[in-house]
Amino acid sequence: ASPPPEQLAGDGGKADPAGPRIEKGSEGAPRLVVPEDFARAWRTVGKALEAAEMKVDDRDRSRGLYFVDYKHRKPRGRIARTLMFWGDDESTQKERFLVLLQSAGEQTNVLVFDEKEKLVTAPVAEDILRKIQQNLD
């Protein structure tokens, strides 16, 4: 039995066995390394953002940026958690993040910036990258 055609149509057998992976980059910020060139990564990351139900409300392909609204839980103190049944809406906060794709030859690095274009080192950056990673096909 020969493998199905979609397996043969890879990139000439030099596929990265590691696949997309999250690394700690400079300044302690996480980055997602996608083993695709920029053009392909731009498409697959865009699809992954949609699949992860993160709202992309703008994009700038020339700068490699997706503008994403991401709802995430804010860490709260112990006392606040015991009062959680009041106003649960305070515990999730919607913030805008910039998902930046940087071409690195055969691969593309994906980084998360805040609205002020500062690199995000907080755990939320890794959450966003992990969601993208899980939805990359």
Side-chain angles (χ1 to χ4, degrees), residues 21-33 102 109-112 119-121 125-126 129:
R21 63 194 183 278
I22 291 177
E23 295 176 346
K24 277 272 187 265
S26 58
E27 301 161 45
R31 69 168 171 232
L32 174 63
V33 181
Q102 275 180 336
N109 294 325
V110 183
L111 297 145
V112 179
L119 200 52
V120 178
T121 55
E126 201 166 323
L129 295 175

Side-chain angles (χ1 to χ4, degrees), residues 7-123:
Q7 283 180 351
L8 295 172
D11 52 2
K14 60 176 179 42
D16 182 355
R21 63 194 183 278
I22 291 177
E23 295 176 346
K24 277 272 187 265
S26 58
E27 301 161 45
R31 69 168 171 232
L32 174 63
V33 181
V34 181
E36 298 177 335
D37 64 31
F38 179 87
R40 282 189 53 189
W42 177 258
R43 274 198 311 276
T44 54
V45 168
K47 280 197 204 140
L49 285 166
E50 277 173 39
E53 293 176 8
M54 286 193 247
K55 190 177 174 302
V56 175
D57 53 22
D58 203 0
R59 62 196 70 198
D60 181 348
R61 194 178 190 279
S62 64
R63 292 174 66 201
L65 285 174
Y66 282 102
F67 298 84
V68 175
D69 284 333
Y70 181 59
K71 235 185 173 138
H72 61 101
R73 291 199 166 283
K74 293 298 274 182
R76 302 179 74 173
R78 205 173 64 225
I79 294 165
R81 267 202 301 277
T82 57
L83 304 174
M84 205 69 138
F85 50 84
W86 289 318
D88 199 24
D89 52 354
E90 302 167 337
S91 63
T92 48
Q93 181 180 345
K94 199 164 89 175
E95 282 187 88
R96 180 177 238 207
F97 292 95
L98 312 183
V99 174
L100 171 73
L101 279 67
Q102 275 180 336
S103 178
E106 298 279 299
Q107 61 186 33
T108 303
N109 294 325
V110 183
L111 297 145
V112 179
F113 289 80
D114 66 15
E115 276 192 294
K116 298 180 181 73
E117 303 200 6
K118 276 177 57 84
L119 200 52
V120 178
T121 55

